[in-house]
Amino acid sequence: MSERRGLLPTLREDLGVVVERDPSLGGRWEALGHTGLSALWAHRVAHRLHRGRTRWAARAVARIARRRTGVEIHPGARLGRRVFIDHGASVVIGQTAVVGDDVTIYQQVTLGAVGWWADNARPPGARRHPVVGDRVVLGANATVLGPVTVGDDCLIGAMATVMDDVPAGARVYAARSVVRPAPGPAPEGTHPARSAPPALDAVRLLASAGSW
């Protein structure tokens, strides 16, 4: 991750990244309404308040941003330069997470902890969330849990779950869905087998037993 910059140059750079990477936008004015950009800008402010030990104000900014954008980023998380959050819906980034430069994050990505039952056993101040390197792409609904490290230039595919370190340049994919061909037409003069509803089965059973 690169060195910190001033807030205004960082916000201006964030805006430029959204215009560059989102082809649906017509320019900078339209990009100002981008959900991911709003969430990122709010976090830039909240993180500075958090570092300045004005944590109640940082929490307030983060809570407002979550309600308006659907993106939940803890003020303590460290996000690098030129991070692009596309769509933004249901993105969650935990307190001790670190995100490098030029990272792309799609919707429903979680950079979270394993769970309180494991975190409570860690030493005070220990990292609980992932470190994501530079130029990483996190696909839709990708989940990275625990104090793992995702190396530079990795691709974490859609729906993938990561709970171990990933070396630089690696690709992590979830299992693909199985596509089966549609069933062929039934032979002429026959009817496709259909399962009778349970209630109809019960009626037939009573009738065959002579109850009616």
Side-chain angles (χ1 to χ4, degrees), residues 133-183:
D134 298 337
R135 299 173 300 279
V136 171
V137 176
L138 298 162
N141 207 25
T143 301
V144 186
L145 299 179
V148 301
T149 299
V150 177
D152 296 344
D153 302 296
C154 285
L155 170 63
I156 310 300
M159 304 292 291
T161 299
V162 174
M163 298 184 68
D164 297 293
D165 292 345
V166 180
R171 302 291 186 261
V172 180
Y173 299 112
R176 294 189 179 186
S177 300
V178 176
V179 179
R180 301 186 185 279

Side-chain angles (χ1 to χ4, degrees), residues 8 17 37-38 54 62-63 67 80 85 94 98 111 130 166-168 186 204:
L8 288 179
V17 168
L37 179 66
S38 299
T54 315
R63 183 179 294 272
R67 293 190 64 180
I85 303 176
V98 179
L111 302 178
V166 180
R204 288 174 176 171

Side-chain angles (χ1 to χ4, degrees), residues 16-154:
V17 168
V18 171
V19 175
E20 175 187 342
R21 299 189 193 177
D22 191 338
S24 70
L25 299 174
R28 288 178 173 262
W29 284 108
E30 190 175 348
L32 290 173
H34 192 276
T35 301
L37 179 66
S38 299
L40 184 60
W41 276 0
H43 174 71
R44 302 289 193 199
V45 174
H47 184 63
R48 279 164 171 76
L49 292 171
H50 187 271
R51 289 206 326 258
R53 299 189 182 280
T54 315
R55 297 198 172 190
W56 65 269
R59 287 275 193 174
V61 171
R63 183 179 294 272
I64 292 170
R66 182 183 183 277
R67 293 190 64 180
R68 294 184 63 88
T69 67
V71 178
E72 182 173 343
I73 309 176
H74 192 284
R78 294 169 50 200
L79 272 62
R81 294 174 57 185
R82 299 178 299 276
V83 173
F84 177 49
I85 303 176
D86 199 6
H87 301 295
S90 300
V91 169
V92 177
I93 302 177
Q95 178 186 11
T96 62
V98 179
V99 177
D101 299 334
D102 300 294
V103 171
T104 299
I105 302 174
Y106 286 94
Q107 66 271 18
Q108 296 181 311
V109 165
T110 299
L111 302 178
V114 175
W116 61 265
W117 51 89
D119 295 335
N120 286 347
R122 301 186 194 280
R127 182 165 62 88
R128 298 176 286 114
H129 300 92
V131 169
V132 177
D134 298 337
R135 299 173 300 279
V136 171
V137 176
L138 298 162
N141 207 25
T143 301
V144 186
L145 299 179
V148 301
T149 299
V150 177
D152 296 344
D153 302 296
C154 285

